[in-house]
């Protein structure tokens, strides 16, 4: 699935013995059995990552690895959250730097994962095309984008109940990307949609702690790994544009980071973030690391987006809005006779000075 050229310093020691408990072995065999079907491409991806772990080729600092605290202070347990399964493993060290062994403790397989993918209850890839009364959405059972030059692929936020609902809103937003060609081209050519169901966004000020650390958000790992696979499989398709909207920036950031860990390059592809609710500088760094051909305009944010714009700029935008609304109120009140035509000199000078200062910032 992926090209793995991670440096030796960034891998688990490939000479170390990696063992599996009998329970983990049974789970692995079940996962391999599911991976035998092309429709269960998510299982194929999970098997390949598990094989990376077993062969010692999984990057040691991979974003897919999260610490798994236990009550035993002398154990270093970790968890891999993959599509349709979770892998718990332990690394034991003889010293500060040398790893003695890695043991897979358990491999939990969700046998109903594929059914939920088909029903839109799990992340998946869809083809979206314009019809008379809206958008037609078809699931792509193998998780591969259309092999068309300059294909647009939208990565939506995790707040939509269905792919159809997401397509309706996302179609209007991806038109903001400079490489989209505008609304008419989006309607004519359609786009692919990487869909992640959910009830809340992966980012934004309400989830600020997770938003500013997008690569550490384990809730996005499954979706990001599926997206990373689709990006890698499309490496030979020219001009693909990966466009995230709102919290989809977390999924895209993680996917690009996963590819970067494996030394993958996509020089003929590009990316754009519409109103990212995770830091665009982290996404930009990941995009540059995989060699994306980026436009000078990498992102566009709404004025009050605290995460996308940064706290300082968003605060200035909020204050500017408040003062502009206040000035408008004073003008209307004066015209209607509720205020004198001329305010006291001190107040007028203060208001003018504040207006000049804010106008100079933007």
């Amino acid at each position: 699935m992926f090209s793995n050229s991670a440096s030796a310093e960034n891998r688990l020691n490939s000479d170390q013995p990696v063992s599996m408990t009998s329970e983990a072995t049974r789970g692995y065999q079940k996962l391999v059995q599911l991976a035998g079907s092309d429709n269960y491409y998510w299982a194929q991806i999970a098997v390949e990552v598990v094989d990376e772990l077993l062969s010692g080729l999984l990057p040691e600092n991979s974003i897919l690895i999260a610490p798994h605290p236990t009550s035993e202070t002398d154990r270093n347990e970790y968890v891999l959250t993959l599509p349709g399964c979770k892998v718990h493993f332990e690394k034991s060290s003889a010293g500060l730097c040398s790893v003695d062994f890695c043991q897979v403790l358990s491999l939990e397989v969700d046998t109903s994962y594929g059914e939920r993918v088909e029903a839109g209850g799990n992340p998946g890839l869809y083809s979206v095309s314009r019809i008379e009364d809206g958008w037609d959405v078809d699931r792509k059972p193998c998780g591969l984008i259309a092999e068309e030059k300059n294909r647009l692929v939208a990565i939506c936020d995790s707040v939509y109940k269905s792919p159809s609902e997401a397509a309706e809103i996302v179609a209007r937003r991806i038109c903001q990307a400079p490489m989209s060609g505008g609304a008419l081209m989006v309607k004519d050519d359609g786009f692919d949609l990487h869909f992640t169901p959910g009830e809340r966004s992966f980012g934004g000020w309400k989830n600020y702690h997770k938003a500013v650390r997008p690569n550490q958000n384990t809730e996005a790992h499954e979706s990001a790994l599926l997206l990373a696979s689709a990006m890698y499989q499309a490496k030979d398709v020219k001009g693909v544009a990966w466009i995230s909207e709102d919290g989809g920036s977390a999924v895209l950031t993680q996917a690009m980071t996963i590819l970067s860990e494996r030394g993958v390059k996509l020089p003929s592809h590009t990316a754009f973030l519409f109103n990212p609710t995770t830091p665009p500088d982290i996404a930009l760094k990941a995009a540059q690391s995989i060699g994306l051909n980026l436009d000078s305009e990498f992102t566009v944010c709404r004025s009050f987006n605290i995460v996308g714009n940064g706290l300082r700029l968003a605060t200035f935008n909020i204050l500017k809005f408040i003062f502009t609304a206040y000035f408008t109120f004073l003008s209307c009140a004066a015209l209607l006779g509720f205020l004198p035509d001329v305010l006291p000199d001190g107040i007028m000078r203060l208001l003018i000075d504040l207006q000049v200062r804010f106008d100079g910032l933007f």
Side-chain angles (χ1 to χ4, degrees), residues 60-288:
E60 185 175 10
N61 297 319
S62 173
I63 64 169
L64 297 174
I65 299 176
H68 184 66
T70 66
S71 57
E72 301 180 43
T73 57
D74 61 337
R75 295 185 65 172
N76 297 316
E77 286 194 21
Y78 302 86
V79 60
L80 273 172
T81 303
L82 306 174
C85 74
K86 283 191 176 183
V87 183
H88 295 267
F89 64 98
E90 175 189 10
K91 290 192 295 181
S92 295
S93 176
L96 294 177
C97 299
S98 62
V99 177
D100 278 343
F101 73 93
C102 174
Q103 183 181 40
V104 179
L105 303 173
S106 66
L107 198 156
E108 305 165 9
V109 180
D110 182 358
T111 55
S112 62
Y113 189 88
E115 296 175 3
R116 291 199 300 276
V117 171
E118 294 180 9
N122 277 331
L125 188 67
Y126 296 80
S127 176
V128 182
S129 56
R130 185 69 179 179
I131 55 177
E132 184 175 349
D133 58 347
W135 296 92
D136 182 48
V137 180
D138 291 321
R139 189 175 70 86
K140 302 179 79 68
C142 293
L144 303 178
I145 72 165
E147 294 187 7
E148 299 174 2
K149 186 178 180 181
N150 301 327
R151 186 63 171 173
L152 301 180
V153 184
I155 301 97
C156 71
D157 199 357
S158 55
V159 295
Y160 305 106
K161 295 181 179 179
S162 68
S164 298
E165 179 186 354
E168 193 73 32
I169 297 174
V170 170
R172 298 194 296 267
R173 294 181 171 178
I174 62 175
C175 298
Q176 302 296 318
M179 71 287 292
S180 69
L184 288 178
M185 186 169 293
V186 171
K187 288 182 179 180
D188 289 343
D189 298 340
F191 58 95
D192 287 332
L193 171 69
H194 181 82
F195 173 71
T196 307
E199 297 180 352
R200 61 179 183 176
S201 175
F202 282 132
W205 66 270
K206 290 184 178 180
N207 300 311
Y208 188 80
H209 180 72
K210 289 185 177 180
V212 296
R213 300 174 180 83
N215 284 334
Q216 298 178 23
N217 188 346
T218 58
E219 295 176 2
H221 283 354
E222 293 180 33
S223 183
L225 191 55
L226 294 172
L227 177 61
S229 175
M231 295 176 75
Y232 177 74
Q233 297 293 341
K235 63 184 184 300
D236 296 326
V237 182
K238 302 295 183 182
V240 180
W242 306 93
I243 307 172
S244 70
E245 65 96 24
D246 288 12
S249 59
V251 179
L252 181 57
T253 299
Q254 285 196 15
M256 293 188 296
T257 303
I258 291 169
L259 294 175
S260 176
E261 291 174 350
R262 289 155 174 78
V264 174
K265 300 293 183 181
L266 301 174
S268 67
H269 293 192
T270 189
F272 183 80
L273 313 180
F274 173 83
N275 194 46
T277 56
T278 56
D281 58 323
I282 298 178
L284 177 60
K285 183 178 178 180
Q288 291 172 334

